[in-house]
Amino acid sequence: GNDPLHLSPQLTSHFSELFHININIMKTTQLLLVAAMASTAGAFSVSNEQCARRQFLQTASTAAAATVLFPTMASAEITVPEQSKDYEFPTEWGLTYTYETDAARVRTHMVTATGLAKGSERMEDFGKNLKKEMIDFVSYYRRFPQVAGKPSFSTLYTSINVLAGHYTSYGYKYPLPEKRRKRLYQEYSEIDKSLKRSR
């Protein structure tokens, strides 16, 4: 009766639920990592494949930690805008070598790319410019541990793999499928929140 280790049936049930939730989060993380690694395989043309794989695994493990620590971030419902041909072709491409500026710029260009409809003017030019910008961004900033550890970088890295993988598989003139667009808009929202907190 007075045994301090005795747990009520309600508490036992509660701990059991928490255990199952943690197991599900771990399974989801594993699936996300497998999917991310699969999409990375064809996304970038890197001369030193072993180095690239090692770098990706380091970044992926950071992303996995973020997924476990903040599992609820992905649950918010995101409105996916209609694809449109109406957009302004950017005049500024490439890196300024200031992380916050570059991350915001790459994210903005990716948001535009995700919203482009088939037949958009200069869609191929936009895609080629963006793919180069994304690869330059990852190649430069993943070398800095203080940047590579940021949640904004981890999520942006994941989004870049998805978009670069789409360009590699389907070319620059084919719009993104709805399921992929929804996932990307969710990630763009998380990146924006992280950047506003300087994280």
Side-chain angles (χ1 to χ4, degrees):
N2 293 327
D3 182 359
L5 294 178
H6 177 73
L7 297 176
S8 70
Q10 289 89 345
L11 267 178
T12 307
S13 169
H14 180 65
F15 285 130
S16 175
E17 277 178 39
L18 281 178
F19 176 74
H20 286 300
I21 288 168
N22 281 332
I23 290 294
N24 284 335
I25 290 169
M26 286 165 68
K27 283 180 182 172
T28 306
T29 303
Q30 286 171 350
L31 288 172
L32 284 172
L33 281 178
V34 170
M37 287 170 73
S39 67
T40 306
F44 298 121
S45 305
V46 183
S47 53
N48 189 338
E49 202 176 325
Q50 271 189 326
C51 174
R53 191 181 294 119
R54 188 168 64 250
Q55 290 280 5
F56 176 73
L57 286 171
Q58 286 171 358
T59 313
S61 64
T62 308
T67 307
V68 173
L69 290 172
F70 309 107
T72 50
M73 281 175 71
S75 61
E77 198 56 44
I78 289 291
T79 306
V80 179
E82 291 290 316
Q83 288 179 325
S84 170
K85 294 181 183 181
D86 183 28
Y87 81 105
E88 201 171 308
F89 195 90
T91 54
E92 292 183 327
W93 294 95
L95 304 182
T96 64
Y97 302 101
T98 303
Y99 174 72
E100 284 75 15
T101 304
D102 291 341
R105 176 182 290 181
V106 171
R107 178 197 168 277
T108 300
H109 291 166
M110 290 174 75
V111 169
T112 302
T114 307
L116 291 181
K118 193 169 187 176
S120 295
E121 193 177 345
R122 299 188 68 190
M123 192 171 181
E124 189 169 8
D125 290 341
F126 189 98
K128 285 178 179 176
N129 282 5
L130 178 55
K131 188 171 182 183
K132 183 185 184 307
E133 184 177 73
M134 292 189 300
I135 291 171
D136 289 348
F137 176 84
V138 169
S139 300
Y140 180 72
Y141 284 109
R142 72 179 174 192
R143 295 179 295 171
F144 304 103
Q146 70 272 31
V147 171
K150 287 176 179 277
S152 58
F153 181 82
S154 300
T155 312
L156 191 49
Y157 191 99
T158 304
S159 301
I160 285 171
N161 278 322
V162 171
L163 196 50
H166 174 80
Y167 286 148
T168 301
S169 301
Y170 300 101
Y172 301 103
K173 295 180 181 179
Y174 192 80
L176 285 139
E178 282 305 299
K179 195 174 178 182
R180 201 164 289 164
R181 290 178 72 231
K182 184 169 184 177
R183 174 188 162 184
L184 283 170
Y185 281 122
Q186 175 66 55
E187 289 168 358
Y188 298 154
S189 173
E190 289 174 24
I191 294 159
D192 187 46
K193 287 174 193 167
S194 295
L195 287 174
K196 281 177 180 169
R197 297 176 189 142
S198 298
R199 297 183 62 201

